[in-house]
Amino acid sequence: FVLKSDYKGLTAGARDADGTDYGEWNAFAVGGLPIGQGNITTIVNFTHTDPLFQSDRSFSSPLYGKTSALPGTVNGANDILNPGLDSPSARNPTGTNATAGSLASLVANGTYLPTSPSAVSGAFDISPYQTLLLRQNLASLVSTFDFPIADRGKVTLFGDVMLSQDRSWTQWAPVSTTGISVPAGAPFNPLTTAFPGVTFSYLPDAHDFYDTTTAARITAGLRGEFTSAWTWESALVYSESDLEQDQTNLIYKPNLALAIAGGYNAAGQPLPGGPYSMEYSGFSMSGPQVLAPALNPFATAAGVNPGSLANLYGTEVIRAISQLESWDGQIVGRLPGLPAGDVGLAFGATVRREALSGHADPNGRVTDPVTGAYGVDSQLWIGGTFADPFAAARTISGGFAEVRLPLTSDQWSVPVVREFDLTGAVRSEHYSDAGSSTVPKFGFRWEPFDRQLVFRGDYAKSFLVPNLFSEVGPTDTRQVAGTVIPGVFGPNYSALPFNGEDGNNPNLKPATSTSKTFGFVLKPNLVKGLSLTADYSYIVLKGFQAGIGFNNILSSVNTLGSASPYFANLAIGNFAGLAGSSNPFTTPGALLAYLTNPATGMGDPTKAANLYLIDRFENNAELLEESWNLGATYSIPTDRAGLFTLASNGSIFDSFNFQGLPGQAYIQYAERDQRRSLRRHVAQVPPCLTAISTSRVRSPRATLLKE
């Protein structure tokens, strides 16, 4: 986009829209001021959108079968608290006064009712807790300037300033923790022994994300003329984007066991079965301990003392910074020499530095900051995002050249080839971390008779180097939602969360593409103001950087055993390669057998909780695409009412053949019976499908191709 630099005057506007449970508004102002022979143009914009919950729309509500990790469930969600009770303590003595010797006795007296994970998840509507659309407040300012400074405009100072701040909020389901073992004598334990397999969650405290992104970009450059046929341009760019994310209502792991254990009286003195706990303050194990009411992990929300949550629920803070510094220069001109006209030339160079850094707070680290041990005094936010501090930078240098060769001229009036141009371009770049690449582009423009009909076509290769985040960014270790396993093994295995890790891969290679396009523009003299366009494209994209997918890993290992290419990505006990990890799934079907409870024939949540999967970015996807882009425009000028324009654009996919992983069957999304599937699954296609290019940081104004 080339921004306007000669606007004069002031324009302002606003828009407000409201719908059922949703609203949005926007206000803007555009002002331009001439200063001498130059101009400053400034745009200010404010946009607000309301959040929209899943429960606000019928297509996403009710939403069942997503989780069985609910308060009141025990024994892997195979038993649930009687709905008439807020806590087992309403019917049973607890703590040091407990009399029940086993869960069976609590089932016998009606405190707990037998159930199953699928029955629990199938009865819980998660839609009121999660947003479909986030709340967003966006403020931005863009200002461009253009000042001639010498030789009557032959040298011009230009640039722009862009500032923005984006504040957003979205909500996920409340954080839960499963497999808790409540010790004997804990104030709310109804058993005389330890009570294993307890799930705790507090539904009123949803998992909220507050994101603030502040961005700035400054461009400053000079352009001028050598002669009337040759121009030059050079510019510097600096941009930075800072992300601040606060994730609220996460469970501070070190305080969970302390809060459940109790063991103190109201004066802070040790007391067996005491209803108070000594917990870490400030969500730090180095902070002084403070007294708080003990936590009842067996209770539903109505049975939980809010005071027991004060030191349990906290906020994780994540920060990240992305920076770019660049310089580019170009020269554009014409050389006489061909009988059909001047040869158009453009060439230039660029150098840029990209930098990325980030960190979570100390409780969000993957490894211990002192010893480097995995999961020891680290990963202390239950439900949080874990990342060790990272910082990386790389330098890219490159150059390009373009040429337009007119082979015939409209002044010659040669039949069939009234005007024919060839174009060519080449671009080379060297990355300090990913090697070098050189890509070409060739094209033509052909007027057979006159400007009523123009044909055009291109052949090009391009490449996409992995971004810094994919190469050296953090790994994210978390509990993966219980919807993945049933998607692989069926509804009998619903609500089975497991441990997952995904993130960077320093061994990623550049992705590549090849494209061929051919089209025409028709502007018939018989219908003044009408323009019709059609362009056919054939594109092959290979080696996108994308995750394998936890579902693909599970399916492959279960089908092939140790012959699976992803066998090393799966383990039990711990992540592969770490202490305590092993992989017993060497034979086909062993994984499914492991996940199945032999007594019920259904999924076993305790087994799923012991699964550890690693899914890193890989060069693994391929797309073959054939399509037509069509357009029609009809302009109707009037003497008094101005110009009316009617326009329509559309695309037709002859083929959209996508292969997610090497060896997998291609999925043809363009078939008629799968067009709905395309809309449903398009999120699976990596974002780089629309971004593979040899793009420049600051696009030059010059172009050698006619429209």
Side-chain angles (χ1 to χ4, degrees):
F1 295 94
V2 178
L3 301 178
K4 286 186 176 181
S5 59
D6 58 353
Y7 185 79
K8 297 178 178 63
L10 177 67
T11 301
R15 170 183 177 272
D16 182 77
D18 287 288
T20 305
D21 303 308
Y22 178 77
E24 59 186 42
W25 62 266
N26 169 267
F28 73 92
V30 181
L33 179 66
I35 299 178
Q37 294 183 332
N39 190 276
I40 295 179
T41 303
T42 302
I43 305 168
V44 180
N45 186 76
F46 299 92
T47 300
H48 168 81
T49 59
D50 289 339
L52 184 69
F53 280 81
Q54 291 181 343
S55 55
D56 293 331
R57 293 294 181 265
S58 59
F59 62 79
S60 58
S61 179
L63 187 60
Y64 297 113
K66 296 303 179 183
T67 181
S68 63
L70 300 177
T73 59
V74 296
N75 188 26
N78 284 295
D79 294 283
I80 190 169
L81 188 66
N82 189 313
L85 304 175
D86 294 332
S87 168
S89 60
R91 180 168 292 182
N92 304 272
T94 60
T96 55
N97 298 317
T99 57
S102 66
L103 175 58
S105 61
L106 298 178
V107 173
N109 70 14
T111 302
Y112 285 96
L113 306 177
T115 184
S116 67
S118 59
V120 173
S121 64
F124 180 70
D125 178 14
I126 203 173
S127 64
Y129 299 93
Q130 301 190 144
T131 49
L132 276 173
L133 299 177
L134 50 73
R135 180 183 68 208
Q136 189 171 39
N137 291 288
L138 173 63
S140 63
L141 178 146
V142 178
S143 184
T144 66
F145 59 89
D146 200 287
F147 295 122
I149 60 175
D151 298 330
R152 297 183 180 181
K154 289 186 178 181
V155 178
T156 300
L157 173 68
F158 68 92
D160 59 62
V161 176
M162 300 184 182
L163 304 173
S164 69
Q165 186 175 75
D166 185 0
R167 295 179 178 270
S168 66
W169 168 83
T170 190
Q171 180 175 295
W172 288 5
V175 171
S176 63
T177 179
T178 60
I180 300 171
S181 181
V182 179
F188 296 102
N189 187 351
L191 299 183
T192 57
T193 63
F195 198 136
V198 176
T199 295
F200 172 72
S201 180
Y202 187 65
L203 295 182
D205 287 350
H207 186 182
D208 294 326
F209 293 75
Y210 295 88
D211 287 352
T212 300
T213 302
T214 303
R217 192 187 91 154
I218 301 174
T219 303
L222 293 170
R223 70 170 65 95
E225 298 180 359
F226 294 116
T227 67
S228 59
W230 287 91
T231 63
W232 59 271
E233 181 177 303
S234 178
L236 296 170
V237 176
Y238 176 80
S239 68
E240 181 174 317
S241 179
D242 299 351
L243 168 67
E244 176 181 322
Q245 182 180 86
D246 296 341
Q247 293 189 35
T248 67
N249 296 325
L250 305 180
I251 298 174
Y252 183 55
K253 188 187 300 184
N255 276 345
L256 180 61
L258 298 176
I260 291 172
Y264 294 85
N265 62 19
Q269 298 171 332
L271 175 68
Y276 288 85
S277 300
M278 293 296 292
E279 303 166 4
Y280 297 111
S281 62
F283 303 103
S284 171
M285 289 187 289
S286 62
Q289 289 190 304
V290 294
L291 191 68
L295 175 69
N296 185 349
F298 302 95
T300 59
V304 173
N305 180 351
S308 67
L309 307 177
N311 302 303
L312 191 63
Y313 279 92
T315 298
E316 180 183 16
V317 180
I318 298 173
R319 300 290 183 269
I321 300 175
S322 174
Q323 297 170 307
L324 172 71
E325 303 162 359
S326 74
W327 168 85
D328 69 85
Q330 61 174 351
I331 296 175
V332 180
R334 304 186 305 274
L335 283 177
L338 292 182
D342 294 344
V343 176
L345 293 173
F347 50 91
T350 180
V351 178
R352 65 184 187 271
R353 179 182 182 272
E354 301 172 354
L356 183 69
S357 62
H359 67 275
D361 63 35
N363 297 323
R365 288 186 58 112
V366 175
T367 59
D368 181 86
V370 177
T371 65
Y374 174 84
V376 179
D377 292 336
S378 60
Q379 303 183 39
L380 301 182
W381 290 122
I382 297 177
T385 301
F386 304 127
D388 284 343
F390 67 94
R394 65 184 175 195
T395 302
I396 304 100
S397 58
F400 73 92
E402 302 178 39
V403 62
R404 181 178 67 87
L405 301 174
L407 300 184
T408 63
S409 170
D410 57 358
Q411 299 176 358
W412 296 2
S413 299
V414 178
V416 184
V417 285
R418 185 173 182 271
E419 186 170 335
F420 190 87
D421 296 346
L422 290 178
T423 60
V426 63
R427 183 175 183 85
S428 180
E429 286 191 328
H430 173 74
Y431 287 73
S432 61
D433 61 338
S436 303
S437 183
T438 301
V439 290
K441 179 178 180 179
F442 305 99
F444 73 90
R445 181 183 180 277
W446 172 32
E447 286 183 20
F449 308 106
D450 55 28
R451 294 185 180 273
Q452 295 185 78
L453 178 63
V454 177
F455 292 99
R456 58 195 180 188
D458 288 297
Y459 169 84
K461 290 186 175 183
S462 49
F463 67 99
L464 178 71
V465 171
N467 59 59
L468 279 175
F469 187 87
S470 299
E471 282 188 328
V472 298
T475 56
D476 179 15
T477 306
R478 66 194 187 283
Q479 189 177 66
V480 180
T483 56
V484 175
I485 289 179
V488 178
F489 298 119
N492 284 344
Y493 297 83
S494 62
L496 299 181
F498 58 91
N499 304 285
E501 178 182 291
D502 50 21
N504 70 71
N505 182 352
N507 297 316
L508 287 172
K509 306 300 182 185
T512 62
S513 75
T514 302
S515 64
K516 303 173 185 177
T517 64
F518 177 80
F520 67 85
V521 180
L522 177 63
K523 297 180 179 180
N525 292 333
L526 292 177
V527 186
K528 296 293 185 182
L530 177 65
S531 176
L532 302 175
T533 64
D535 290 281
Y536 168 81
S537 68
Y538 176 72
I539 303 173
V540 178
L541 305 167
K542 295 182 178 181
F544 320 133
Q545 302 92 29
I548 302 167
F550 291 123
N551 57 330
N552 290 317
I553 296 172
L554 291 168
S555 177
S556 178
V557 172
N558 186 66
T559 302
L560 302 174
S562 58
S564 166
Y566 314 118
F567 179 75
N569 294 65
L570 178 63
I572 61 172
N574 205 340
F575 288 105
L578 299 178
S581 67
S582 63
N583 190 341
F585 312 120
T586 56
T587 59
L591 174 58
L592 181 59
Y594 174 81
L595 291 171
T596 305
N597 186 326
T600 64
M602 305 184 74
D604 188 336
T606 59
K607 296 294 185 65
N610 196 38
L611 281 183
Y612 292 79
L613 274 72
I614 297 176
D615 179 14
R616 299 287 181 87
F617 293 119
E618 303 281 352
N619 295 97
N620 56 17
E622 183 170 316
L623 173 70
L624 308 177
E625 182 252 20
E626 293 183 77
S627 65
W628 285 90
N629 290 319
L630 308 175
T633 302
Y634 185 49
S635 299
I636 307 172
T638 66
D639 294 334
R640 296 184 178 182
L643 178 69
F644 293 86
T645 301
L646 305 176
S648 180
N649 295 280
S651 297
I652 299 174
F653 283 95
D654 291 331
S655 176
F656 198 92
N657 218 3
F658 180 71
Q659 183 189 47
L661 296 172
Q664 283 188 342
Y666 282 86
I667 302 174
Q668 178 54 268
Y669 285 109
E671 294 177 3
R672 292 188 177 185
D673 61 347
Q674 293 194 21
R675 287 176 183 168
R676 184 181 299 271
S677 178
L678 171 60
R679 293 192 296 269
R680 189 168 64 244
H681 295 297
V682 69
Q684 297 178 1
V685 180
C688 57
L689 293 186
T690 58
I692 280 193
S693 67
T694 54
S695 60
R696 300 168 188 151
V697 175
R698 189 184 63 84
S699 298
R701 291 168 178 255
T703 177
L704 300 179
L705 296 177
K706 296 181 181 179
E707 182 183 357

